[in-house]
Amino acid sequence: QLLESGGGLVQPGGSLRLSCAASGFTFSSYAMSWVRQVPGKGLEWVSGINGGGASTYYADSVKGRFTISRDNSKNTLYLQVNSLRAEDTAVYYCAKGGCSNTICARGSQGFDYWGQGALVTVSS
Amino acid sequence: QSALTQPPSASGSPGQSVTISCTGTSSDVGGYNYVSWYQHHPGRAPKLMISEVSKRPSGVPDRFSGSKSGNTASLTVSGLQAEDEADYYCCSYAGSNNVVFGGGTKLAVL
């Protein structure tokens, strides 16, 4: 099970930290990703991290503004989102990769479990 | 990185088969056997239906199948059922460009 939290309303230029609490599997053995969906639009991969946490990857649209991290002792995935823009308004999903390695952090084996999502609204 | 190209909509009657295409480039779909497909009912978590072009996860009905030819991947749903009505997204590993999703296809069961 994956459970996101930390979403909400934030002003342009503001920051948030999204969390994803994992249970039911050995968290450290799997890469994780964040995927978002702008209301009425399609899915967009945002960021991925390998099982150990040493390798991180970002979409060009968020590079330099978002930071993915994980605490394997707490079975939790994070996404620090800074310098938020209106176009970052979306439902943010955490998703589990099919293995631990770096290409699994980028969906090579698909994302086999997803959370219910956390809504981030960027508006003044 | 441009999104993969999917038809915006597809439809079929119960019991029929429908195929959804997903066209990319040699840098994503055509370059790797790492295409996955997701079913998304609005308001619910997306569900993995196919991984690595044609692998069906446990619990996914065998009515769902995937294939690839060149830069185009396809998802076929056979024996359409009412509960198959949903949005479907393809996704590909894209090397240094990381990950790219398709724009999504709304499947209607008439």
Side-chain angles (χ1 to χ4, degrees), chain A residues 30-72:
Chain A
Y30 294 94
M32 299 291 295
S33 278
W34 289 96
V35 178
R36 68 184 180 183
Q37 183 175 35
V38 172
K41 302 295 185 183
L43 299 174
E44 178 190 16
W45 178 83
V46 172
S47 183
I49 187 169
N50 71 328
S55 298
T56 58
Y57 306 91
Y58 300 93
D60 288 344
S61 58
V62 307
K63 200 173 294 184
R65 299 188 299 123
F66 290 12
T67 302
I68 191 172
S69 62
R70 62 191 299 161
D71 186 336
N72 286 342

Side-chain angles (χ1 to χ4, degrees), chain A residues 4-26:
Chain A
E4 301 95 339
S5 60
L9 174 64
V10 61
Q11 292 188 338
S15 299
L16 277 178
R17 189 175 80 157
L18 302 177
S19 299
C20 171
S23 60
F25 63 97
T26 305

Side-chain angles (χ1 to χ4, degrees), chain A residues 33 45-48 56-60 63 101-109 111, chain B residues 1-2 4 25-35 91-101:
Chain A
S33 278
W45 178 83
V46 172
S47 183
T56 58
Y57 306 91
Y58 300 93
D60 288 344
K63 200 173 294 184
N101 65 30
T102 57
I103 59 171
C104 268
R106 290 168 285 170
S108 62
Q109 293 189 5
F111 303 113
Chain B
Q1 180 71 14
S2 299
L4 305 175
T25 70
S26 58
S27 296
D28 39 63
V29 174
Y32 310 93
N33 288 324
Y34 291 143
V35 176
C91 177
S92 178
Y93 172 76
S96 60
N97 289 318
N98 291 321
V99 185
V100 61
F101 275 91

Side-chain angles (χ1 to χ4, degrees), chain B residues 31-103:
Chain B
Y32 310 93
N33 288 324
Y34 291 143
V35 176
S36 50
W37 289 90
Y38 301 88
Q39 178 189 67
H40 191 201
H41 290 100
R44 293 166 58 177
K47 178 182 179 182
L48 176 66
M49 306 303 285
I50 297 288
S51 68
E52 297 180 81
V53 176
S54 60
K55 294 182 179 179
R56 199 170 44 248
S58 174
V60 173
D62 59 7
R63 303 184 293 103
F64 290 85
S65 62
S67 63
K68 190 186 86 167
S69 177
N71 295 337
T72 298
S74 299
L75 173 72
T76 297
V77 186
S78 306
L80 271 175
Q81 299 182 5
E83 61 261 34
D84 299 333
E85 186 161 294
D87 297 324
Y88 290 84
Y89 294 90
C90 62
C91 177
S92 178
Y93 172 76
S96 60
N97 289 318
N98 291 321
V99 185
V100 61
F101 275 91

